[in-house]
């Protein structure tokens, strides 16, 4: 292994860790200071849902999984009203579910992973940068870029009002997938999974190259470390596990590791096991089959070039002047493996394959700066330009969507009434409330999450037409009956639906500006 960094470098690394930790605290500062939200009903008049960043839908899905895990150990899809078996086990949210059952609130049991995400992401990235970059400012620059790079095209297009809406959206998607700093705002599985990728590669190096091992650490130690890192990486976020498998296969071919390939059996099997589990779910469960189907998004367009090209250009000059040992080959194969997974995957949210690319690309880029003898002041300016505007843009995204992190007191009371309702069954409501229904009530919702709700666009449109009173009575009653919902929840600002739904409603309760309509059982049931 490389020699420990000097004290000045260690001090710089601690400063980067402090910056990442402070950055992770921006959401609560905005939500509870600038916006003035309350933790529960009666404090600010709103209930905090526990969501820590702009990605509200995914984080409410995680909190719903925590609730399911606390009650059942495994999770079902609560964003549809069809019967769904409890088949999915996720170690991170299982542990949060245990915390919840022990009395910790759902938001806190979710947010408990924030320090883990911060420390894990920093430690994994710092260890790899320390291995691949010389001490001094290059190491600090590489670490900052790896953690905080935000593709400039996203904020340039948005702030400049340039391009089509589709171009801005797709470019933003790529930018967010390649922004590790955003993952410590509630995207814990992605943060920890990517943090484990360099751990896997460093352990693999120790397993295959004895001269790289630390004193007292054996083949078994490094093999077990690679296996544990690969297993957890795949289980927490399978796209990164697939990338590691492709990368390892590339190493075997490029470095001609055929005679040592047997040593990779356990790490590869451990990394592949969760992926096999996810594949089995997609073949045996309708919800997982839906999630694993083609997303309908394109793989290629101008937005991909705008999103990825700056990082690739940053790295293009980083190749010269190195001895190409195993880790040097891994460094160069990593981006190729990620892009291969991105283009090969035709199902699910293939954009996730881009996550983690900033680490190898930042290392190569900073090396290139040294090779070209770029002045330090210019390097500092480049790091600032490639990080700070994007971070400001991300903060703006949070501020603009801050209202979705809270439920008004009356809507909270309506969902609590549904939670306590004596009848089994799910909820028909608007998409914004539907996102929160599984987490708040433990019940299913007819529409809520854009990935986990079948026919999300059509259901969103039909639910909105019903709740805004734009359906006639026949259509409205037929829709409510067809969903199988036990409750219809109308949030604040909605018209009274009692007359429209007529005999479909068994009872109505008002909760301030919100209303809950209990659906009458079908005759004979």
């Amino acid at each position: 292994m490389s020699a420990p960094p000097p004290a000045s470098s260690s001090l710089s690394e601690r400063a980067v860790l402090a910056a990442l930790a402070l950055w992770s605290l921006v959401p609560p500062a905005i939500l509870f200071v600038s916006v003035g939200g309350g933790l529960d009903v009666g404090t600010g008049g709103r209930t905090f849902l526990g969501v820590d960043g702009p990605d509200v839908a995914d984080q409410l899905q995680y909190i719903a999984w925590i609730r399911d895990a606390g009650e059942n150990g495994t999770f079902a899809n609560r964003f549809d009203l069809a019967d769904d078996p409890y088949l999915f086990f996720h170690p991170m949210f299982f542990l949060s579910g245990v915390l919840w059952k022990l009395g910790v609130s759902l938001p806190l049991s979710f947010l408990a992973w924030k320090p883990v995400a911060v420390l894990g992401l920093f430690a994994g990235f710092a260890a790899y940068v320390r291995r691949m970059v010389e001490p001094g400012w290059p190491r600090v620059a590489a670490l900052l870029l790896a953690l905080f790079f935000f593709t400039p095209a996203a904020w340039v297009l948005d702030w400049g009002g340039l391009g089509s809406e589709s171009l801005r959206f797709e470019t933003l998607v790529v930018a967010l997938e390649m922004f590790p700093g955003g993952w410590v705002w509630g995207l814990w599985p992605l943060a920890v999974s990517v943090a484990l990728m360099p751990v896997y590669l460093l352990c693999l190096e120790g397993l295959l190259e004895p001269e790289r091992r630390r004193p007292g650490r054996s083949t078994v130690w490094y093999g077990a470390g690679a296996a544990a890192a690969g297993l957890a990486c795949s289980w927490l976020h399978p796209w990164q596990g697939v990338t590691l498998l492709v990368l390892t296969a590339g190493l075997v071919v490029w470095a001609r590791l055929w005679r040592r390939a047997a040593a990779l059996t356990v790490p590869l099997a451990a990394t592949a096991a969760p992926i096999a589990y996810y594949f089995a779910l997609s073949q045996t469960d309708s919800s997982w089959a839906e999630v694993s189907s083609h997303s309908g998004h394109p793989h290629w367009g101008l937005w991909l070039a705008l999103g990825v090209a700056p990082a690739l250009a940053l790295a293009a000059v980083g190749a010269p002047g190195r001895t190409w040992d195993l880790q040097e080959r891994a460094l160069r194969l990593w981006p190729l493996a990620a892009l291969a997974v991105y283009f090969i995957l035709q199902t699910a949210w293939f954009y996730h394959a881009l996550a983690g690319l900033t680490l190898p690309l930042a290392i190569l880029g900073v090396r290139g700066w040294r090779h070209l003898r770029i002045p330090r002041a210019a390097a500092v300016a480049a790091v600032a330009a490639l990080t700070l505007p994007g971070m400001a843009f991300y903060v703006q995204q949070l501020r603009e969507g801050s209202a979705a992190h809270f439920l008004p007191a009356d809507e909270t009371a309506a969902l609590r009434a549904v939670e306590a309702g004596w009848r089994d069954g799910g909820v028909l409501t608007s998409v914004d409330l539907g996102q929160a229904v599984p987490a708040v009530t433990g019940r299913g919702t007819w529409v809520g999450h854009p990935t986990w709700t079948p026919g999300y666009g059509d259901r969103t449109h039909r639910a909105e037409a019903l709740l805004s009173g734009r359906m006639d009575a026949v259509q409205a009653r037929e829709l409510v009956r067809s969903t199988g919902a036990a409750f219809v929840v109308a949030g604040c600002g909605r018209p009274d639906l009692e007359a429209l739904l007529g005999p479909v409603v068994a009872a109505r309760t008002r909760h301030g500006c919100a209303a809950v309509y209990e659906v009458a059982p079908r005759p004979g049931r």
Side-chain angles (χ1 to χ4, degrees), residues 89-159:
F89 179 84
H90 192 284
M92 179 176 283
F93 299 123
F94 172 77
L95 293 175
S96 287
V98 172
L99 283 179
W100 177 60
K101 291 301 285 186
L102 291 174
V104 178
S105 71
L106 277 172
L108 287 179
S109 65
F110 173 67
L111 294 170
W113 288 102
K114 181 183 283 287
V116 177
V118 170
L119 292 173
L121 195 61
F122 171 80
F125 278 34
Y128 203 67
V129 168
R130 200 177 298 125
R131 164 67 178 88
M132 306 304 292
V133 182
E134 62 191 70
W137 75 261
R139 186 173 287 177
V140 178
L143 189 54
L144 285 170
L145 282 172
L147 288 169
F148 295 110
F149 174 86
F150 197 103
T151 189
W155 54 265
V156 169
L157 291 176
D158 186 85
W159 288 344

Side-chain angles (χ1 to χ4, degrees), residues 353-423:
L354 301 176
L357 274 180
T358 57
L359 179 55
L361 295 181
I363 291 170
L364 290 169
V366 169
R367 283 181 177 181
W369 293 349
R370 294 287 287 170
H371 177 71
L372 297 176
R373 301 184 183 279
I374 293 176
R376 185 179 302 185
V380 171
V383 171
L386 292 171
T387 56
L388 296 179
M391 295 167 70
F393 177 73
Y394 199 62
V395 170
Q396 176 187 316
Q397 301 296 304
L398 175 64
R399 290 186 62 87
E400 290 177 351
S402 59
H405 295 69
F406 302 90
L407 277 181
D410 293 341
E411 293 180 356
T412 300
L415 292 187
R416 293 301 184 197
V418 169
E419 178 186 25
W422 62 273
R423 284 187 58 188

Side-chain angles (χ1 to χ4, degrees), residues 68-460:
D68 254 4
E71 294 176 343
N72 304 287
T74 52
F75 327 141
N77 178 22
R78 295 292 192 175
F79 295 97
D80 187 19
L81 297 186
D83 289 336
D84 190 61
Y86 292 89
L87 295 176
F88 182 39
F89 179 84
H90 192 284
M92 179 176 283
F93 299 123
F94 172 77
L95 293 175
S96 287
V98 172
L99 283 179
W100 177 60
K101 291 301 285 186
L102 291 174
V104 178
S105 71
L106 277 172
L108 287 179
S109 65
F110 173 67
L111 294 170
W113 288 102
K114 181 183 283 287
V116 177
V118 170
L119 292 173
L121 195 61
F122 171 80
F125 278 34
Y128 203 67
V129 168
R130 200 177 298 125
R131 164 67 178 88
M132 306 304 292
V133 182
E134 62 191 70
W137 75 261
R139 186 173 287 177
V140 178
L143 189 54
L144 285 170
L145 282 172
L147 288 169
F148 295 110
F149 174 86
F150 197 103
T151 189
W155 54 265
V156 169
L157 291 176
D158 186 85
W159 288 344
L162 304 174
S164 66
E165 182 178 348
S166 174
L167 176 63
R168 291 196 295 271
F169 171 77
E170 297 287 357
T171 305
L172 177 60
V173 167
V174 173
L176 295 180
E177 293 293 348
M178 294 178 61
F179 178 47
W183 309 338
V184 297
W185 289 13
L187 301 180
W188 323 132
L190 181 55
V192 178
S193 179
V194 173
L196 290 169
M197 296 179 78
V199 175
Y200 171 91
L201 293 174
L202 292 171
C203 287
L204 209 66
E205 180 181 49
L207 174 65
L208 297 174
E209 297 185 345
E211 65 275 12
R212 287 289 180 183
R213 296 174 189 167
R214 291 186 177 182
R217 293 185 178 175
S218 64
T219 301
V220 173
W221 192 96
Y222 282 100
L231 175 71
C233 176
S234 291
W235 207 333
L236 295 179
H237 214 253
W239 294 264
Q240 277 52 62
V242 175
T243 299
L244 286 181
L245 292 176
V246 174
L247 196 165
T248 306
L251 279 176
V252 171
V253 174
W254 190 6
R256 299 180 180 179
L257 300 176
W258 311 111
R259 294 182 179 180
R260 289 181 283 173
L264 300 173
T265 302
V266 174
L268 288 177
T271 305
I275 296 168
Y277 169 54
Y278 283 109
F279 178 76
L281 287 176
S282 72
Q283 300 301 305
T284 57
D285 178 69
S286 60
S287 292
W288 279 91
E290 176 76 21
V291 171
S292 302
S293 63
H294 199 289
S295 66
H297 292 279
H299 282 74
W300 177 257
L302 176 60
W303 46 267
L304 182 62
L306 291 173
V308 177
L312 293 177
L314 181 70
V317 292
R322 292 281 169 173
T323 301
W324 287 38
D325 58 18
L326 184 72
Q327 205 61 257
E328 290 293 335
R329 289 183 169 92
L331 180 68
R332 290 159 177 81
L333 282 172
W334 188 340
L336 298 177
L339 290 171
V341 172
Y342 171 87
F343 282 111
I344 291 170
L345 284 179
Q346 298 297 317
T347 59
W349 192 252
F350 50 80
Y351 299 98
H352 284 324
L354 301 176
L357 274 180
T358 57
L359 179 55
L361 295 181
I363 291 170
L364 290 169
V366 169
R367 283 181 177 181
W369 293 349
R370 294 287 287 170
H371 177 71
L372 297 176
R373 301 184 183 279
I374 293 176
R376 185 179 302 185
V380 171
V383 171
L386 292 171
T387 56
L388 296 179
M391 295 167 70
F393 177 73
Y394 199 62
V395 170
Q396 176 187 316
Q397 301 296 304
L398 175 64
R399 290 186 62 87
E400 290 177 351
S402 59
H405 295 69
F406 302 90
L407 277 181
D410 293 341
E411 293 180 356
T412 300
L415 292 187
R416 293 301 184 197
V418 169
E419 178 186 25
W422 62 273
R423 284 187 58 188
D424 292 333
V427 177
L428 170 58
T429 187
S430 59
V431 67
D432 53 341
L433 271 179
Q435 291 181 132
V437 163
V440 176
T441 71
R443 297 177 182 265
T445 180
W446 190 65
V447 62
H449 192 279
T451 301
W452 289 89
T453 297
Y456 173 80
D458 177 64
R459 289 193 182 187
T460 299

